[in-house]
Amino acid sequence: MSFIPATKLLLRYSATATATATYVEPSTALIHCLQLAIQRQSLKLTQQSHAQIMCWKLHQNPFIVTKLIISHATCQNPGQGEVVFGSVREKNVYLWNTLINGYMRNGEHEYAFQLFSEMCEGFVCPDDFTFSTLCKISGEVGDIGVGKYVHGKCFRTGIALDVVVANSAMSMYLKCGSFCDSLKVFDEMPVRNLSSWNVVVNGEMCEGIVCPDDFTFSTLCKVSGEVGDIGVGKYVHGKCFRTGIALDVMTKNADKWKDRIGTQRKMVTEKLQKRAGNIKDRKEQKRERKIAKREKKLLRPGS
């Protein structure tokens, strides 16, 4: 697959701007180039865009730098993204989160935790996305000690009860094999969403505490439809098939419809028989009336 160099894309944007008599900033063209590099996972286009960013002196633009770090991470080169990160004078929480997430996506969990430690030592406070990412990493590596350390940091920063962070902590404890800790987080949550219930039900199923039936899955499907979350709805539907509930429900529905159709056929047959009997009785009554009328006429005097 051939890629268009970033310089040619910039020239195209300049030509378009000239034709339409509007000014297009170089940052707009570079953002387009970086987005294209992310979609195609093109290291060459990423490097070309990086060179143009330095040429246009946009290496301190936080939005463009964030896109550039994501592009390097998508091309499995998070180290170069860290070099870009280091050149930025004012680092905000979004840049930290982008770099940590880039190392996580490339499986370099140790570097991600190291960056988190550096972040906590500085003047930038982690947010809900930071903690949910680190909880996910702790769950993937199965290190409950690190997971509890991250969860403790959540309490110290005051966002432990945030629904996104709490759901991530529940999932982390569950992956580390500590269902009791996961259930404790669930009990302490002031607000729960469908994902919260999904995690705890999944944990109970894995622990063998409950065995969901067709009513459980039909309720979860109904809730998924009400909140409009098709992802969770598909997950619940998949669980139905994996547990065999879907086939049982289909069999029950088939038996129910079979009985219903049989009852309807019986009712129709009885109705037709009754109608045929009524027609036969009316014909017999009509014949009897004719005979009685004829006899009465024969018995009349003078006949």
Side-chain angles (χ1 to χ4, degrees):
M1 183 183 293
S2 60
F3 299 108
I4 302 173
T7 50
K8 288 188 177 181
L9 283 172
L10 285 170
L11 289 172
R12 283 190 182 184
Y13 266 77
S14 301
T16 305
T18 305
T20 57
T22 57
Y23 175 69
V24 179
E25 294 185 359
S27 58
T28 305
L30 286 168
I31 290 169
H32 174 78
C33 292
L34 289 170
Q35 189 61 41
L36 192 64
I38 293 168
Q39 291 174 356
R40 296 182 174 181
Q41 298 181 0
S42 170
L43 180 60
K44 184 177 180 180
L45 187 55
T46 301
Q47 291 171 342
Q48 291 173 346
S49 301
H50 192 176
Q52 290 297 316
I53 288 169
M54 299 302 295
C55 179
W56 287 96
K57 300 186 185 305
L58 294 171
H59 58 284
Q60 297 300 322
N61 185 311
F63 185 75
I64 291 179
V65 171
T66 301
K67 281 282 186 182
L68 183 58
I69 294 172
I70 294 172
S71 186
H72 278 298
T74 305
C75 298
Q76 300 179 355
N77 191 19
Q80 187 61 38
E82 188 172 359
V83 173
V84 175
F85 174 82
S87 65
V88 180
R89 288 189 292 270
E90 296 182 5
K91 302 175 179 64
N92 56 28
V93 67
Y94 304 108
L95 283 173
W96 282 99
N97 288 341
T98 303
L99 188 60
I100 292 171
N101 189 56
Y103 275 111
M104 182 204 70
R105 289 174 60 184
N106 285 276
E108 300 185 27
H109 302 135
E110 186 177 346
Y111 285 105
F113 281 116
Q114 186 178 343
L115 285 168
F116 173 67
S117 300
E118 293 177 6
M119 182 182 185
C120 294
E121 292 172 0
F123 299 98
V124 180
C125 183
D127 62 1
D128 54 348
F129 184 81
T130 313
F131 286 117
S132 61
T133 302
L134 290 165
C135 284
K136 183 178 180 181
I137 296 173
S138 304
E140 288 180 357
V141 300
D143 193 335
I144 192 170
V146 176
K148 286 186 175 182
Y149 168 77
V150 174
H151 196 203
K153 281 282 188 181
C154 296
F155 277 100
R156 284 191 287 276
T157 53
I159 60 173
L161 299 180
D162 179 84
V163 64
V164 176
V165 176
N167 287 345
S168 300
M170 286 171 58
S171 181
M172 177 269 295
Y173 282 124
L174 191 61
K175 289 178 180 177
C176 292
S178 180
F179 177 71
C180 294
D181 288 324
S182 179
L183 194 60
K184 184 180 178 182
V185 175
F186 178 81
D187 292 335
E188 292 174 351
M189 291 175 68
V191 179
R192 305 181 183 98
N193 58 14
L194 185 60
S195 298
S196 311
W197 287 98
N198 183 35
V199 172
V200 75
V201 169
N202 189 38
E204 289 177 344
M205 290 171 60
C206 292
E207 293 289 321
I209 298 173
V210 295
C211 183
D213 54 6
D214 52 352
F215 178 77
T216 308
F217 283 117
S218 62
T219 304
L220 289 172
C221 286
K222 182 180 178 182
V223 175
S224 303
E226 289 176 354
V227 300
D229 194 332
I230 191 171
V232 176
K234 286 183 176 180
Y235 172 80
V236 174
H237 193 203
K239 280 285 185 183
C240 293
F241 279 98
R242 284 192 290 275
T243 55
I245 294 291
L247 297 177
D248 293 341
V249 173
M250 290 168 65
T251 304
K252 289 179 182 178
N253 288 339
D255 293 339
K256 182 173 69 175
W257 279 103
K258 185 178 179 180
D259 296 339
R260 186 173 178 180
I261 292 172
T263 304
Q264 288 180 347
R265 285 180 177 175
K266 186 177 180 181
M267 291 174 61
V268 170
T269 302
E270 290 177 353
K271 189 174 182 180
L272 291 174
Q273 289 176 350
K274 186 177 180 181
R275 183 181 296 175
N278 291 337
I279 293 172
K280 186 177 180 180
D281 292 339
R282 284 199 297 271
K283 285 183 178 180
E284 186 66 25
Q285 290 173 3
K286 187 176 180 181
R287 190 175 69 83
E288 289 178 355
R289 282 198 301 270
K290 284 183 178 180
I291 293 173
K293 187 176 181 181
R294 190 178 298 169
E295 289 177 350
K296 186 176 180 181
K297 187 176 181 181
L298 291 173
L299 293 174
R300 189 181 300 172
S303 300

